[in-house]
Amino acid sequence: MEIDDIVTDPALKLALETSNQTREQAIALLDLVSSHPPTASPSHEFQLQVSKQQKLLLTYLAQLRGLHRDAQVGARETKALTAEARQEVDRLHLQLQNLYYEQRHLQGEIAACESYDHKYQQLPLIPIEQFLAEHPEKADLDESALTIARIEHEHKGRLALEEQRQRLLKKKEGLIQANKKRKDDLANLDKDLEKFIDAAKPIQKTFESVV
């Protein structure tokens, strides 16, 4: 692959072109100087040609230095931008790792919740079909809301049964108290009857002696 295919930055392309021109100019100047016989004295015209080629070479060198300086500045800027981009990539990578960790944690929590033996699952709830038959207005509820409604229905039913149980307990206590009172009344009546019999015994003896 040619270097021109590798380098795509316009500034670097210009630097390469200027470098090639400088090299070609340096070769041309060397060829010009080498073409003159070493023993002969250079003519004025030859000296003018050499001076002209030297000035052109110096011009190319000056341009090349400026382009080199600009390339160095651009390289430092690119290096700084690359370092910032790398830091940003590292930050995003760390953030991504944290998100993966949080995702795995949440998935574990969800799995634990799904496998948890909830007490409501042990409640003797009435079948869904029976509940919907008694409460057709709940037919459009989703599974979660429907479960909550069934639990509330069971709760209300248990509250009603508890109220009924409390009423029966109070009634039972009332019956026990009434029964106890009757027993006490019968006991008192027995005592009064015994006293009456004891009091009537002298009368009975007197009656028997007369007879």
Side-chain angles (χ1 to χ4, degrees):
M1 183 179 291
E2 297 294 334
I3 190 170
D4 292 337
D5 298 330
I6 299 175
V7 179
T8 58
D9 184 77
L12 294 179
K13 278 184 171 293
L14 180 59
L16 288 175
E17 292 174 1
T18 304
S19 177
N20 291 331
Q21 292 173 350
T22 303
R23 180 175 58 82
E24 292 173 358
Q25 181 59 32
I27 293 173
L29 179 59
L30 290 174
D31 291 342
L32 178 61
V33 174
S34 299
S35 65
H36 188 274
T39 57
S41 178
S43 63
H44 179 69
E45 181 180 356
F46 181 77
Q47 291 178 351
L48 288 176
Q49 289 180 352
V50 171
S51 176
K52 181 179 179 181
Q53 294 297 327
Q54 285 179 338
K55 290 179 180 179
L56 186 57
L57 178 59
L58 291 174
T59 300
Y60 283 138
L61 286 173
Q63 291 178 356
L64 187 60
R65 289 192 190 95
L67 292 172
H68 182 263
R69 182 172 58 253
D70 293 341
Q72 285 185 322
V73 173
R76 284 194 294 269
E77 292 177 351
T78 301
K79 185 177 181 180
L81 292 175
T82 302
E84 291 178 1
R86 184 180 294 109
Q87 290 178 355
E88 180 65 14
V89 170
D90 292 341
R91 186 186 68 81
L92 293 175
H93 183 263
L94 179 60
Q95 184 177 0
L96 181 61
Q97 292 297 323
N98 291 335
L99 289 176
Y100 280 144
Y101 174 78
E102 184 177 357
Q103 182 186 35
R104 289 194 296 270
H105 175 71
L106 292 176
Q107 287 175 343
E109 292 293 328
I110 291 173
C113 290
E114 290 178 346
S115 61
Y116 181 73
D117 187 17
H118 296 280
K119 289 186 177 180
Y120 80 87
Q121 295 177 339
Q122 303 174 4
L123 292 175
L125 303 178
I126 64 174
I128 296 179
E129 295 77 9
Q130 181 181 348
F131 178 79
L132 292 178
E134 296 178 2
H135 305 278
E137 71 279 2
K138 307 289 187 180
D140 295 332
L141 296 179
D142 56 26
E143 182 180 357
S144 177
L146 185 59
T147 301
I148 294 174
R150 292 171 65 201
I151 293 174
E152 292 177 349
H153 175 269
E154 177 68 19
H155 179 64
K156 291 179 180 179
R158 293 193 178 194
L159 288 178
L161 290 175
E162 179 62 20
E163 291 179 359
Q164 183 178 359
R165 189 179 74 86
Q166 292 294 335
R167 287 196 301 269
L168 292 175
L169 283 176
K170 290 181 180 179
K171 185 177 181 180
K172 178 181 178 181
E173 290 177 357
L175 292 174
I176 291 174
Q177 292 295 332
N179 189 35
K180 183 175 181 299
K181 186 176 184 303
R182 290 193 185 92
K183 287 182 178 180
D184 292 340
D185 292 341
L186 288 175
N188 292 330
L189 183 60
D190 289 340
K191 290 179 180 180
D192 292 340
L193 183 58
E194 289 178 357
K195 290 179 181 180
F196 176 78
I197 293 173
D198 290 340
K201 282 181 179 180
I203 298 174
Q204 183 178 3
K205 289 181 180 180
T206 303
F207 181 76
E208 289 176 353
S209 62
V210 173
V211 174

